[in-house]
Amino acid sequence: MSIDRLYKRVSEVGPICVGLDPNLSHMPAFTSSLNVEEAIFKYNKAIIDSTKDLVAVYKPQAAYYESAGLDGLKAYKRTLEYLRSNDCLIINDVKRSDISSTAAAYAKAYFSGDYEGDFLTLNPYMGLDSIEPYMEYVEKHNKGLFVIIKTSNPGSKDFEELMVEDMPLYNHIADRIREMDGNSVGTSGYRKIGYVIGATSKESGEGSRIRDRYGDVFFLVPGYGAQGGGREDALELLNDRNGGVINSSRGIIRAFESSDEDFETATRKAVLKMVEDFR
């Protein structure tokens, strides 16, 4: 199971997830003379080369590559190939939501071929039948899912936190996804389907309550750093420094903008600080 591989990697190096989100308006100087494809790929390669011994998993956000057109998608493909050649785990952050043959096509796109990764982020708000087409890859091809449950953005209160039968809507969704997953857990003790749980809780102790309720579910935790989530918020969502990965994107890949050091050194130092936070 992919979750077991990720659990093992976290136990070896810690729970750090780095978002590979190339914003063409915030690129280091060494990319300025390169075309878009080369600039994005060389940028990502520099991040990977300077941090791969410290990072459990990388999370490219597909929107940044799509927004750069065909050259961006070529760079995406090359980045994923480079990650796989370095035995790095990959979360394709696409947050897709659709049903039937369309969902099956998304699954094929991001679990095989040019954009193959180990995990995929999904939005479950269309219903359980929007998750089902991906399960073939989970069951037969050792792939993994992270399903959005409780996010880190202020707008999460608009729908996710609505009270339904004395319980937030996000709890109902998480409970149904866990039922869908059945009773099987891997050698790590975690289920095949993980949850996206943000680290910017507005309510004291909420993170601990979520962790206690879903003790056998692996979490992808966004919100740390630039989005306002702190060390304690994120730690609440882990199980003894495992059971989840903490994502940081801008706080790492744009660390060079507030540093006098070269891009690789600034990037590595930002990851090292995060490693120390969660040691």
Side-chain angles (χ1 to χ4, degrees), residues 15 150 170 190 197-222 224 229-246 277-278:
K150 175 72 171 67
Y170 72 79
Y190 289 91
I197 306 286
T200 53
S201 173
K202 312 298 187 298
E203 179 186 344
S204 176
E206 183 182 41
S208 294
R209 288 195 293 275
I210 292 172
R211 181 74 272 179
D212 290 344
R213 187 180 182 95
Y214 306 108
D216 58 358
V217 179
F218 206 93
F219 292 165
L220 166 60
V221 182
Y224 172 87
R231 173 181 179 274
E232 296 305 320
D233 294 318
L235 277 174
E236 281 190 345
L237 295 167
L238 299 183
N239 270 330
D240 193 24
R241 306 303 199 278
N242 209 321
V245 288
I246 315 299
D277 271 356
F278 297 104

mmCIF file of all heavy atoms in Angstrom, residues 15 150 170 190 197-222 224 229-246 277-278:
data_model
loop_
_atom_site.group_PDB
_atom_site.id
_atom_site.type_symbol
_atom_site.label_atom_id
_atom_site.label_comp_id
_atom_site.label_asym_id
_atom_site.label_seq_id
_atom_site.Cartn_x
_atom_site.Cartn_y
_atom_site.Cartn_z
ATOM 1 N N PRO A 15 8.009 14.210 8.850
ATOM 2 C CA PRO A 15 6.727 14.360 8.148
ATOM 3 C C PRO A 15 6.647 15.534 7.179
ATOM 4 O O PRO A 15 5.587 16.122 6.997
ATOM 5 C CB PRO A 15 5.757 14.573 9.315
ATOM 6 C CG PRO A 15 6.563 15.383 10.291
ATOM 7 C CD PRO A 15 7.980 14.854 10.178
ATOM 8 N N LYS A 150 -11.351 18.602 5.832
ATOM 9 C CA LYS A 150 -11.403 19.885 6.559
ATOM 10 C C LYS A 150 -10.210 20.720 6.111
ATOM 11 O O LYS A 150 -9.066 20.376 6.392
ATOM 12 C CB LYS A 150 -11.329 19.616 8.066
ATOM 13 C CG LYS A 150 -11.264 20.873 8.931
ATOM 14 C CD LYS A 150 -12.583 21.592 8.949
ATOM 15 C CE LYS A 150 -12.570 22.716 9.996
ATOM 16 N NZ LYS A 150 -11.639 23.811 9.636
ATOM 17 N N TYR A 170 -18.178 18.108 7.723
ATOM 18 C CA TYR A 170 -16.942 17.407 7.378
ATOM 19 C C TYR A 170 -16.806 16.090 8.120
ATOM 20 O O TYR A 170 -16.223 15.130 7.599
ATOM 21 C CB TYR A 170 -15.713 18.306 7.577
ATOM 22 C CG TYR A 170 -15.318 18.606 9.005
ATOM 23 C CD1 TYR A 170 -14.614 17.676 9.771
ATOM 24 C CD2 TYR A 170 -15.590 19.839 9.583
ATOM 25 C CE1 TYR A 170 -14.226 17.957 11.071
ATOM 26 C CE2 TYR A 170 -15.197 20.141 10.867
ATOM 27 C CZ TYR A 170 -14.522 19.194 11.618
ATOM 28 O OH TYR A 170 -14.130 19.476 12.899
ATOM 29 N N TYR A 190 -2.543 2.047 9.090
ATOM 30 C CA TYR A 190 -3.358 3.111 8.507
ATOM 31 C C TYR A 190 -4.135 2.607 7.294
ATOM 32 O O TYR A 190 -3.708 1.686 6.603
ATOM 33 C CB TYR A 190 -2.479 4.314 8.123
ATOM 34 C CG TYR A 190 -1.980 5.043 9.342
ATOM 35 C CD1 TYR A 190 -0.762 4.699 9.926
ATOM 36 C CD2 TYR A 190 -2.744 6.041 9.936
ATOM 37 C CE1 TYR A 190 -0.319 5.337 11.070
ATOM 38 C CE2 TYR A 190 -2.301 6.688 11.086
ATOM 39 C CZ TYR A 190 -1.090 6.333 11.640
ATOM 40 O OH TYR A 190 -0.655 6.960 12.779
ATOM 41 N N ILE A 197 -6.558 17.434 5.974
ATOM 42 C CA ILE A 197 -7.020 18.134 7.170
ATOM 43 C C ILE A 197 -6.119 19.345 7.393
ATOM 44 O O ILE A 197 -4.926 19.198 7.661
ATOM 45 C CB ILE A 197 -6.977 17.239 8.430
ATOM 46 C CG1 ILE A 197 -7.746 15.916 8.212
ATOM 47 C CG2 ILE A 197 -7.486 18.002 9.643
ATOM 48 C CD1 ILE A 197 -9.242 16.063 8.213
ATOM 49 N N GLY A 198 -6.677 20.551 7.308
ATOM 50 C CA GLY A 198 -5.878 21.761 7.427
ATOM 51 C C GLY A 198 -5.388 22.025 8.838
ATOM 52 O O GLY A 198 -6.023 21.629 9.829
ATOM 53 N N ALA A 199 -4.264 22.728 8.924
ATOM 54 C CA ALA A 199 -3.612 22.984 10.218
ATOM 55 C C ALA A 199 -3.941 24.349 10.794
ATOM 56 O O ALA A 199 -3.259 24.816 11.693
ATOM 57 C CB ALA A 199 -2.096 22.861 10.055
ATOM 58 N N THR A 200 -4.977 25.008 10.306
ATOM 59 C CA THR A 200 -5.296 26.352 10.789
ATOM 60 C C THR A 200 -6.639 26.345 11.510
ATOM 61 O O THR A 200 -7.564 27.070 11.146
ATOM 62 C CB THR A 200 -5.332 27.369 9.641
ATOM 63 O OG1 THR A 200 -6.211 26.893 8.616
ATOM 64 C CG2 THR A 200 -3.957 27.571 9.048
ATOM 65 N N SER A 201 -6.738 25.532 12.528
ATOM 66 C CA SER A 201 -7.996 25.411 13.265
ATOM 67 C C SER A 201 -8.319 26.704 13.998
ATOM 68 O O SER A 201 -7.450 27.337 14.584
ATOM 69 C CB SER A 201 -7.905 24.260 14.275
ATOM 70 O OG SER A 201 -9.048 24.232 15.095
ATOM 71 N N LYS A 202 -9.588 27.121 13.967
ATOM 72 C CA LYS A 202 -10.039 28.306 14.692
ATOM 73 C C LYS A 202 -10.513 27.944 16.099
ATOM 74 O O LYS A 202 -10.770 28.797 16.916
ATOM 75 C CB LYS A 202 -11.189 28.982 13.933
ATOM 76 C CG LYS A 202 -10.958 29.206 12.447
ATOM 77 C CD LYS A 202 -9.789 30.134 12.175
ATOM 78 C CE LYS A 202 -9.683 30.468 10.689
ATOM 79 N NZ LYS A 202 -9.441 29.291 9.851
ATOM 80 N N GLU A 203 -10.658 26.651 16.366
ATOM 81 C CA GLU A 203 -11.251 26.198 17.619
ATOM 82 C C GLU A 203 -10.216 25.409 18.412
ATOM 83 O O GLU A 203 -9.592 24.477 17.897
ATOM 84 C CB GLU A 203 -12.473 25.313 17.316
ATOM 85 C CG GLU A 203 -13.158 24.767 18.545
ATOM 86 C CD GLU A 203 -14.267 23.790 18.182
ATOM 87 O OE1 GLU A 203 -14.691 23.775 17.014
ATOM 88 O OE2 GLU A 203 -14.677 23.030 19.080
ATOM 89 N N SER A 204 -10.023 25.779 19.656
ATOM 90 C CA SER A 204 -9.036 25.111 20.497
ATOM 91 C C SER A 204 -9.337 23.622 20.627
ATOM 92 O O SER A 204 -10.469 23.228 20.934
ATOM 93 C CB SER A 204 -9.039 25.754 21.894
ATOM 94 O OG SER A 204 -8.159 25.076 22.749
ATOM 95 N N GLY A 205 -8.326 22.793 20.374
ATOM 96 C CA GLY A 205 -8.468 21.349 20.548
ATOM 97 C C GLY A 205 -9.128 20.635 19.395
ATOM 98 O O GLY A 205 -9.260 19.407 19.426
ATOM 99 N N GLU A 206 -9.551 21.367 18.351
ATOM 100 C CA GLU A 206 -10.244 20.722 17.234
ATOM 101 C C GLU A 206 -9.349 19.695 16.548
ATOM 102 O O GLU A 206 -9.791 18.600 16.202
ATOM 103 C CB GLU A 206 -10.719 21.758 16.220
ATOM 104 C CG GLU A 206 -11.514 21.156 15.067
ATOM 105 C CD GLU A 206 -11.935 22.177 14.037
ATOM 106 O OE1 GLU A 206 -11.114 23.063 13.702
ATOM 107 O OE2 GLU A 206 -13.078 22.099 13.552
ATOM 108 N N GLY A 207 -8.082 20.054 16.345
ATOM 109 C CA GLY A 207 -7.156 19.131 15.702
ATOM 110 C C GLY A 207 -7.021 17.827 16.461
ATOM 111 O O GLY A 207 -7.029 16.742 15.867
ATOM 112 N N SER A 208 -6.912 17.910 17.774
ATOM 113 C CA SER A 208 -6.796 16.699 18.597
ATOM 114 C C SER A 208 -8.052 15.850 18.512
ATOM 115 O O SER A 208 -7.986 14.615 18.462
ATOM 116 C CB SER A 208 -6.524 17.078 20.054
ATOM 117 O OG SER A 208 -5.260 17.680 20.187
ATOM 118 N N ARG A 209 -9.222 16.504 18.473
ATOM 119 C CA ARG A 209 -10.468 15.741 18.372
ATOM 120 C C ARG A 209 -10.564 15.030 17.031
ATOM 121 O O ARG A 209 -11.031 13.875 16.961
ATOM 122 C CB ARG A 209 -11.668 16.670 18.584
ATOM 123 C CG ARG A 209 -11.837 17.136 20.017
ATOM 124 C CD ARG A 209 -13.217 17.738 20.255
ATOM 125 N NE ARG A 209 -13.397 18.986 19.531
ATOM 126 C CZ ARG A 209 -13.012 20.183 19.976
ATOM 127 N NH1 ARG A 209 -12.394 20.277 21.144
ATOM 128 N NH2 ARG A 209 -13.247 21.270 19.275
ATOM 129 N N ILE A 210 -10.134 15.688 15.966
ATOM 130 C CA ILE A 210 -10.141 15.040 14.656
ATOM 131 C C ILE A 210 -9.178 13.861 14.649
ATOM 132 O O ILE A 210 -9.498 12.769 14.159
ATOM 133 C CB ILE A 210 -9.773 16.065 13.553
ATOM 134 C CG1 ILE A 210 -10.869 17.114 13.404
ATOM 135 C CG2 ILE A 210 -9.536 15.357 12.215
ATOM 136 C CD1 ILE A 210 -10.507 18.261 12.485
ATOM 137 N N ARG A 211 -7.997 14.063 15.208
ATOM 138 C CA ARG A 211 -7.006 12.985 15.246
ATOM 139 C C ARG A 211 -7.524 11.790 16.042
ATOM 140 O O ARG A 211 -7.359 10.625 15.636
ATOM 141 C CB ARG A 211 -5.712 13.519 15.864
ATOM 142 C CG ARG A 211 -4.565 12.509 15.963
ATOM 143 C CD ARG A 211 -3.933 12.235 14.610
ATOM 144 N NE ARG A 211 -4.589 11.177 13.881
ATOM 145 C CZ ARG A 211 -4.224 10.786 12.667
ATOM 146 N NH1 ARG A 211 -3.235 11.394 12.037
ATOM 147 N NH2 ARG A 211 -4.856 9.807 12.062
ATOM 148 N N ASP A 212 -8.168 12.047 17.171
ATOM 149 C CA ASP A 212 -8.697 10.960 17.999
ATOM 150 C C ASP A 212 -9.813 10.202 17.281
ATOM 151 O O ASP A 212 -9.904 8.972 17.378
ATOM 152 C CB ASP A 212 -9.229 11.510 19.325
ATOM 153 C CG ASP A 212 -8.129 12.010 20.238
ATOM 154 O OD1 ASP A 212 -6.944 11.662 19.996
ATOM 155 O OD2 ASP A 212 -8.437 12.762 21.180
ATOM 156 N N ARG A 213 -10.646 10.920 16.558
ATOM 157 C CA ARG A 213 -11.790 10.291 15.886
ATOM 158 C C ARG A 213 -11.327 9.417 14.721
ATOM 159 O O ARG A 213 -11.942 8.369 14.442
ATOM 160 C CB ARG A 213 -12.758 11.364 15.391
ATOM 161 C CG ARG A 213 -14.062 10.816 14.824
ATOM 162 C CD ARG A 213 -14.958 11.957 14.356
ATOM 163 N NE ARG A 213 -16.237 11.474 13.862
ATOM 164 C CZ ARG A 213 -17.349 11.382 14.568
ATOM 165 N NH1 ARG A 213 -17.346 11.763 15.836
ATOM 166 N NH2 ARG A 213 -18.477 10.931 14.033
ATOM 167 N N TYR A 214 -10.251 9.842 14.047
ATOM 168 C CA TYR A 214 -9.772 9.113 12.867
ATOM 169 C C TYR A 214 -8.322 8.665 13.090
ATOM 170 O O TYR A 214 -7.426 8.996 12.330
ATOM 171 C CB TYR A 214 -9.903 10.004 11.623
ATOM 172 C CG TYR A 214 -11.295 10.541 11.439
ATOM 173 C CD1 TYR A 214 -11.575 11.893 11.666
ATOM 174 C CD2 TYR A 214 -12.352 9.702 11.085
ATOM 175 C CE1 TYR A 214 -12.868 12.385 11.528
ATOM 176 C CE2 TYR A 214 -13.638 10.186 10.955
ATOM 177 C CZ TYR A 214 -13.898 11.524 11.177
ATOM 178 O OH TYR A 214 -15.187 12.004 11.050
ATOM 179 N N GLY A 215 -8.146 7.911 14.145
ATOM 180 C CA GLY A 215 -6.799 7.510 14.546
ATOM 181 C C GLY A 215 -6.091 6.598 13.566
ATOM 182 O O GLY A 215 -4.861 6.528 13.566
ATOM 183 N N ASP A 216 -6.835 5.905 12.707
ATOM 184 C CA ASP A 216 -6.222 4.985 11.752
ATOM 185 C C ASP A 216 -6.221 5.551 10.328
ATOM 186 O O ASP A 216 -6.100 4.805 9.362
ATOM 187 C CB ASP A 216 -6.916 3.618 11.780
ATOM 188 C CG ASP A 216 -8.410 3.696 11.481
ATOM 189 O OD1 ASP A 216 -8.922 4.821 11.284
ATOM 190 O OD2 ASP A 216 -9.059 2.635 11.452
ATOM 191 N N VAL A 217 -6.369 6.877 10.195
ATOM 192 C CA VAL A 217 -6.359 7.531 8.889
ATOM 193 C C VAL A 217 -5.124 8.427 8.793
ATOM 194 O O VAL A 217 -4.826 9.196 9.713
ATOM 195 C CB VAL A 217 -7.629 8.369 8.664
ATOM 196 C CG1 VAL A 217 -7.581 9.064 7.301
ATOM 197 C CG2 VAL A 217 -8.875 7.495 8.761
ATOM 198 N N PHE A 218 -4.416 8.320 7.682
ATOM 199 C CA PHE A 218 -3.230 9.136 7.436
ATOM 200 C C PHE A 218 -3.672 10.499 6.914
ATOM 201 O O PHE A 218 -4.569 10.585 6.061
ATOM 202 C CB PHE A 218 -2.333 8.443 6.406
ATOM 203 C CG PHE A 218 -0.881 8.796 6.505
ATOM 204 C CD1 PHE A 218 -0.018 8.021 7.259
ATOM 205 C CD2 PHE A 218 -0.372 9.895 5.840
ATOM 206 C CE1 PHE A 218 1.331 8.338 7.357
ATOM 207 C CE2 PHE A 218 0.960 10.222 5.925
ATOM 208 C CZ PHE A 218 1.828 9.442 6.682
ATOM 209 N N PHE A 219 -3.065 11.567 7.414
ATOM 210 C CA PHE A 219 -3.486 12.921 7.042
ATOM 211 C C PHE A 219 -2.442 13.606 6.160
ATOM 212 O O PHE A 219 -1.237 13.488 6.391
ATOM 213 C CB PHE A 219 -3.674 13.797 8.284
ATOM 214 C CG PHE A 219 -4.827 13.410 9.175
ATOM 215 C CD1 PHE A 219 -4.917 13.920 10.461
ATOM 216 C CD2 PHE A 219 -5.823 12.552 8.744
ATOM 217 C CE1 PHE A 219 -5.969 13.587 11.297
ATOM 218 C CE2 PHE A 219 -6.885 12.201 9.564
ATOM 219 C CZ PHE A 219 -6.955 12.726 10.855
ATOM 220 N N LEU A 220 -2.926 14.359 5.190
ATOM 221 C CA LEU A 220 -2.144 15.374 4.484
ATOM 222 C C LEU A 220 -2.566 16.709 5.079
ATOM 223 O O LEU A 220 -3.745 17.070 5.023
ATOM 224 C CB LEU A 220 -2.424 15.331 2.978
ATOM 225 C CG LEU A 220 -1.945 16.527 2.149
ATOM 226 C CD1 LEU A 220 -0.437 16.723 2.250
ATOM 227 C CD2 LEU A 220 -2.367 16.375 0.689
ATOM 228 N N VAL A 221 -1.605 17.426 5.658
ATOM 229 C CA VAL A 221 -1.917 18.617 6.447
ATOM 230 C C VAL A 221 -1.373 19.872 5.764
ATOM 231 O O VAL A 221 -0.182 20.180 5.847
ATOM 232 C CB VAL A 221 -1.324 18.501 7.869
ATOM 233 C CG1 VAL A 221 -1.704 19.721 8.702
ATOM 234 C CG2 VAL A 221 -1.802 17.212 8.545
ATOM 235 N N PRO A 222 -2.232 20.617 5.050
ATOM 236 C CA PRO A 222 -1.832 21.915 4.506
ATOM 237 C C PRO A 222 -2.056 23.003 5.546
ATOM 238 O O PRO A 222 -2.630 22.758 6.611
ATOM 239 C CB PRO A 222 -2.777 22.084 3.317
ATOM 240 C CG PRO A 222 -4.030 21.399 3.769
ATOM 241 C CD PRO A 222 -3.600 20.235 4.647
ATOM 242 N N TYR A 224 0.319 24.968 7.064
ATOM 243 C CA TYR A 224 1.473 25.338 7.886
ATOM 244 C C TYR A 224 2.251 26.461 7.206
ATOM 245 O O TYR A 224 2.445 26.446 5.983
ATOM 246 C CB TYR A 224 2.373 24.113 8.077
ATOM 247 C CG TYR A 224 3.703 24.409 8.756
ATOM 248 C CD1 TYR A 224 3.812 24.407 10.139
ATOM 249 C CD2 TYR A 224 4.839 24.685 8.002
ATOM 250 C CE1 TYR A 224 5.031 24.662 10.762
ATOM 251 C CE2 TYR A 224 6.054 24.956 8.612
ATOM 252 C CZ TYR A 224 6.144 24.941 9.989
ATOM 253 O OH TYR A 224 7.348 25.208 10.589
ATOM 254 N N GLY A 229 -0.917 28.396 9.703
ATOM 255 C CA GLY A 229 -0.854 27.290 10.650
ATOM 256 C C GLY A 229 0.513 27.202 11.310
ATOM 257 O O GLY A 229 1.540 27.396 10.665
ATOM 258 N N GLY A 230 0.513 26.927 12.592
ATOM 259 C CA GLY A 230 1.762 26.831 13.335
ATOM 260 C C GLY A 230 2.136 25.412 13.680
ATOM 261 O O GLY A 230 1.417 24.457 13.364
ATOM 262 N N ARG A 231 3.268 25.284 14.368
ATOM 263 C CA ARG A 231 3.786 23.975 14.753
ATOM 264 C C ARG A 231 2.781 23.199 15.602
ATOM 265 O O ARG A 231 2.534 22.013 15.361
ATOM 266 C CB ARG A 231 5.094 24.172 15.512
ATOM 267 C CG ARG A 231 5.678 22.918 16.117
ATOM 268 C CD ARG A 231 6.968 23.235 16.874
ATOM 269 N NE ARG A 231 7.538 22.050 17.488
ATOM 270 C CZ ARG A 231 7.191 21.585 18.682
ATOM 271 N NH1 ARG A 231 6.245 22.213 19.374
ATOM 272 N NH2 ARG A 231 7.754 20.495 19.174
ATOM 273 N N GLU A 232 2.200 23.852 16.592
ATOM 274 C CA GLU A 232 1.292 23.147 17.500
ATOM 275 C C GLU A 232 0.017 22.711 16.782
ATOM 276 O O GLU A 232 -0.505 21.626 17.045
ATOM 277 C CB GLU A 232 0.952 24.035 18.710
ATOM 278 C CG GLU A 232 2.154 24.369 19.583
ATOM 279 C CD GLU A 232 2.894 23.126 20.054
ATOM 280 O OE1 GLU A 232 2.220 22.134 20.403
ATOM 281 O OE2 GLU A 232 4.139 23.151 20.062
ATOM 282 N N ASP A 233 -0.493 23.569 15.883
ATOM 283 C CA ASP A 233 -1.677 23.189 15.096
ATOM 284 C C ASP A 233 -1.416 21.900 14.329
ATOM 285 O O ASP A 233 -2.260 21.001 14.267
ATOM 286 C CB ASP A 233 -2.038 24.296 14.093
ATOM 287 C CG ASP A 233 -2.486 25.579 14.759
ATOM 288 O OD1 ASP A 233 -3.237 25.497 15.735
ATOM 289 O OD2 ASP A 233 -2.078 26.653 14.298
ATOM 290 N N ALA A 234 -0.229 21.827 13.700
ATOM 291 C CA ALA A 234 0.101 20.664 12.882
ATOM 292 C C ALA A 234 0.375 19.437 13.738
ATOM 293 O O ALA A 234 -0.053 18.323 13.400
ATOM 294 C CB ALA A 234 1.316 20.976 12.008
ATOM 295 N N LEU A 235 1.064 19.631 14.861
ATOM 296 C CA LEU A 235 1.401 18.488 15.718
ATOM 297 C C LEU A 235 0.155 17.789 16.258
ATOM 298 O O LEU A 235 0.159 16.578 16.459
ATOM 299 C CB LEU A 235 2.285 18.936 16.883
ATOM 300 C CG LEU A 235 3.779 19.057 16.594
ATOM 301 C CD1 LEU A 235 4.512 19.647 17.794
ATOM 302 C CD2 LEU A 235 4.382 17.700 16.231
ATOM 303 N N GLU A 236 -0.898 18.557 16.492
ATOM 304 C CA GLU A 236 -2.147 17.957 16.968
ATOM 305 C C GLU A 236 -2.676 16.898 16.011
ATOM 306 O O GLU A 236 -3.407 15.993 16.414
ATOM 307 C CB GLU A 236 -3.226 19.035 17.162
ATOM 308 C CG GLU A 236 -3.110 19.839 18.429
ATOM 309 C CD GLU A 236 -4.335 20.702 18.663
ATOM 310 O OE1 GLU A 236 -5.130 20.874 17.710
ATOM 311 O OE2 GLU A 236 -4.510 21.198 19.783
ATOM 312 N N LEU A 237 -2.332 17.040 14.733
ATOM 313 C CA LEU A 237 -2.890 16.157 13.711
ATOM 314 C C LEU A 237 -2.007 14.944 13.422
ATOM 315 O O LEU A 237 -2.356 14.112 12.590
ATOM 316 C CB LEU A 237 -3.121 16.954 12.423
ATOM 317 C CG LEU A 237 -4.185 18.052 12.549
ATOM 318 C CD1 LEU A 237 -4.137 18.990 11.350
ATOM 319 C CD2 LEU A 237 -5.580 17.444 12.692
ATOM 320 N N LEU A 238 -0.879 14.840 14.108
ATOM 321 C CA LEU A 238 0.001 13.688 13.936
ATOM 322 C C LEU A 238 -0.206 12.685 15.055
ATOM 323 O O LEU A 238 -0.806 12.989 16.082
ATOM 324 C CB LEU A 238 1.472 14.144 13.902
ATOM 325 C CG LEU A 238 1.886 15.099 12.782
ATOM 326 C CD1 LEU A 238 3.377 15.388 12.873
ATOM 327 C CD2 LEU A 238 1.529 14.551 11.414
ATOM 328 N N ASN A 239 0.308 11.489 14.833
ATOM 329 C CA ASN A 239 0.353 10.444 15.854
ATOM 330 C C ASN A 239 1.814 10.183 16.177
ATOM 331 O O ASN A 239 2.497 9.466 15.442
ATOM 332 C CB ASN A 239 -0.284 9.141 15.332
ATOM 333 C CG ASN A 239 -1.765 9.071 15.608
ATOM 334 O OD1 ASN A 239 -2.255 9.622 16.581
ATOM 335 N ND2 ASN A 239 -2.493 8.393 14.733
ATOM 336 N N ASP A 240 2.315 10.784 17.236
ATOM 337 C CA ASP A 240 3.707 10.582 17.623
ATOM 338 C C ASP A 240 4.652 10.826 16.448
ATOM 339 O O ASP A 240 5.494 10.015 16.104
ATOM 340 C CB ASP A 240 3.915 9.173 18.194
ATOM 341 C CG ASP A 240 5.261 9.018 18.887
ATOM 342 O OD1 ASP A 240 5.822 10.038 19.324
ATOM 343 O OD2 ASP A 240 5.759 7.877 18.960
ATOM 344 N N ARG A 241 4.471 11.983 15.803
ATOM 345 C CA ARG A 241 5.303 12.473 14.692
ATOM 346 C C ARG A 241 5.135 11.658 13.406
ATOM 347 O O ARG A 241 5.922 11.787 12.475
ATOM 348 C CB ARG A 241 6.791 12.524 15.058
ATOM 349 C CG ARG A 241 7.161 13.307 16.314
ATOM 350 C CD ARG A 241 6.687 14.751 16.232
ATOM 351 N NE ARG A 241 7.357 15.641 17.163
ATOM 352 C CZ ARG A 241 7.051 15.789 18.444
ATOM 353 N NH1 ARG A 241 6.077 15.056 18.976
ATOM 354 N NH2 ARG A 241 7.690 16.647 19.215
ATOM 355 N N ASN A 242 4.121 10.812 13.341
ATOM 356 C CA ASN A 242 3.824 10.092 12.105
ATOM 357 C C ASN A 242 2.307 10.124 11.915
ATOM 358 O O ASN A 242 1.598 10.848 12.589
ATOM 359 C CB ASN A 242 4.382 8.668 12.133
ATOM 360 C CG ASN A 242 4.729 8.135 10.756
ATOM 361 O OD1 ASN A 242 4.023 8.361 9.782
ATOM 362 N ND2 ASN A 242 5.849 7.427 10.649
ATOM 363 N N GLY A 243 1.817 9.345 10.957
ATOM 364 C CA GLY A 243 0.386 9.345 10.697
ATOM 365 C C GLY A 243 -0.084 10.523 9.864
ATOM 366 O O GLY A 243 -1.278 10.722 9.665
ATOM 367 N N GLY A 244 0.879 11.282 9.344
ATOM 368 C CA GLY A 244 0.524 12.414 8.501
ATOM 369 C C GLY A 244 1.766 13.084 7.955
ATOM 370 O O GLY A 244 2.885 12.830 8.419
ATOM 371 N N VAL A 245 1.571 13.926 6.943
ATOM 372 C CA VAL A 245 2.649 14.753 6.412
ATOM 373 C C VAL A 245 2.192 16.202 6.437
ATOM 374 O O VAL A 245 1.030 16.512 6.166
ATOM 375 C CB VAL A 245 3.075 14.337 4.989
ATOM 376 C CG1 VAL A 245 3.841 13.023 5.034
ATOM 377 C CG2 VAL A 245 1.893 14.240 4.034
ATOM 378 N N ILE A 246 3.120 17.099 6.780
ATOM 379 C CA ILE A 246 2.844 18.523 6.897
ATOM 380 C C ILE A 246 3.371 19.213 5.651
ATOM 381 O O ILE A 246 4.569 19.153 5.365
ATOM 382 C CB ILE A 246 3.531 19.120 8.142
ATOM 383 C CG1 ILE A 246 3.324 18.225 9.365
ATOM 384 C CG2 ILE A 246 3.038 20.539 8.377
ATOM 385 C CD1 ILE A 246 1.900 18.026 9.777
ATOM 386 N N ASP A 277 11.291 21.786 13.653
ATOM 387 C CA ASP A 277 9.986 22.029 14.282
ATOM 388 C C ASP A 277 9.270 20.730 14.648
ATOM 389 O O ASP A 277 8.569 20.666 15.659
ATOM 390 C CB ASP A 277 9.076 22.816 13.327
ATOM 391 C CG ASP A 277 9.233 24.318 13.473
ATOM 392 O OD1 ASP A 277 9.981 24.760 14.368
ATOM 393 O OD2 ASP A 277 8.622 25.065 12.681
ATOM 394 N N PHE A 278 9.443 19.715 13.801
ATOM 395 C CA PHE A 278 8.674 18.471 13.988
ATOM 396 C C PHE A 278 9.530 17.298 14.440
ATOM 397 O O PHE A 278 9.099 16.153 14.362
ATOM 398 C CB PHE A 278 7.911 18.142 12.705
ATOM 399 C CG PHE A 278 6.901 19.198 12.359
ATOM 400 C CD1 PHE A 278 7.148 20.109 11.331
ATOM 401 C CD2 PHE A 278 5.737 19.316 13.080
ATOM 402 C CE1 PHE A 278 6.230 21.099 11.042
ATOM 403 C CE2 PHE A 278 4.802 20.307 12.794
ATOM 404 C CZ PHE A 278 5.061 21.206 11.768
#
